[in-house]
Amino acid sequence: MIIAVSGTPGVGKTTVSKLLSERLGYEYVSVKDFALMKGIGEPVGDEIEIDVDALAREVKAEFSARNVVIDGHLSHLVPADVVVVLRLHPRAVAERLKSRGYSRKKLAENVEAELVDVILVEALEKNKRVLEVDTTDKTPDEVVDEILTLLEEGVKRRVGVVDWTEAYDDVLEYLMLGGD
Ligand code: ADP
Ligand code: MG
């Protein structure tokens, strides 16, 4: 079984994926490392540009008969059995990315993406089985417990657990809304 864990940068994908893979006894795979290993990720500045079609092909070839948790903000675009989309209040996203030293532009892009559910919407376009989990004010263990419960219950789709329309005011200082 392939479990993809996706979400806006900073929501806790890597932390949760590692813990989830340990709890399930699955392999842990980072999209970024996997893409570099397969030669389908190109370093561009301080980021990696990944050929998403090639990524989907390679993931299918390599993991369709294995049990893996795939971590990365592109993981919802691979052929997974289930996609977990982690959500986090945009204010907390901003604070985490700020402490990571993101530029003002990258900070704005990602806070805006979280505000308007970009990854959730993409995940729903690509995959039938999507589990949305709000991580706000939860420990990584609590998040993993929630994911395991949803998996055990065989829940096919669980979305609509957050609504950031009221969160704009809390992150106005970080937004660029299309301008520079
Ligand atoms: P991502 O992989 O989505 O970019 P990380 O797992 O690297 O996110 O987490 C970003 C930061 O937030 C890290 O410093 C991590 O320790 C912290 N973090 C992750 N999950 C939680 C959580 N549930 N509660 C508090 N801090 C968390
Ligand atoms: Mg990560």
Side-chain angles (χ1 to χ4, degrees):
M1 164 136 121
I2 299 177
I3 301 175
V5 177
S6 194
T8 307
V11 293
K13 296 179 297 295
T14 300
T15 309
V16 165
S17 297
K18 287 186 172 162
L19 205 55
L20 180 65
S21 68
E22 281 167 25
R23 295 272 295 271
L24 286 167
Y26 282 22
E27 293 172 68
Y28 165 84
V29 176
S30 134
V31 162
K32 193 167 141 189
D33 294 346
F34 180 71
L36 287 173
M37 190 181 81
K38 290 288 171 188
I40 51 174
E42 280 216 20
V44 177
D46 57 356
E47 289 182 53
I48 309 288
E49 212 158 82
I50 294 172
D51 176 340
V52 176
D53 292 333
L55 175 70
R57 267 198 313 276
E58 293 286 353
V59 164
K60 194 170 180 189
E62 188 101 8
F63 300 119
S64 49
R66 282 154 72 176
N67 287 325
V68 284
V69 176
I70 302 186
D71 161 30
H73 70 281
L74 296 174
S75 69
H76 60 288
L77 304 176
V78 310
D81 296 285
V82 50
V83 180
V84 176
V85 178
L86 300 182
R87 306 303 304 271
L88 176 65
H89 191 286
R91 176 96 211 166
V93 171
E95 279 159 11
R96 284 195 197 162
L97 296 182
K98 209 169 152 185
S99 67
R100 237 182 223 183
Y102 271 40
S103 67
R104 165 137 174 71
K105 185 157 174 270
K106 267 182 77 183
L107 196 62
E109 270 169 19
N110 287 301
V111 171
E112 287 165 20
E114 180 60 27
L115 267 175
V116 300
D117 315 321
V118 167
I119 289 191
L120 177 69
V121 170
E122 285 180 6
L124 289 169
E125 281 168 6
K126 279 273 176 187
N127 207 296
K128 285 198 176 61
R129 194 163 182 209
V130 176
L131 305 174
E132 186 187 22
V133 176
D134 184 14
T135 69
T136 311
D137 299 325
K138 291 176 190 157
T139 66
D141 268 309
E142 287 170 335
V143 173
V144 170
D145 284 341
E146 192 170 325
I147 296 168
L148 289 172
T149 301
L150 291 166
L151 292 173
E152 276 160 24
E153 288 173 347
V155 175
K156 287 282 173 274
R157 182 172 272 205
R158 204 271 302 255
V159 295
V161 298
V162 302
D163 175 359
W164 301 145
T165 49
E166 303 290 319
Y168 275 81
D169 285 348
D170 299 325
V171 291
L172 271 181
E173 65 193 282
Y174 298 108
L175 305 181
M176 290 167 81
L177 300 170
D180 275 302

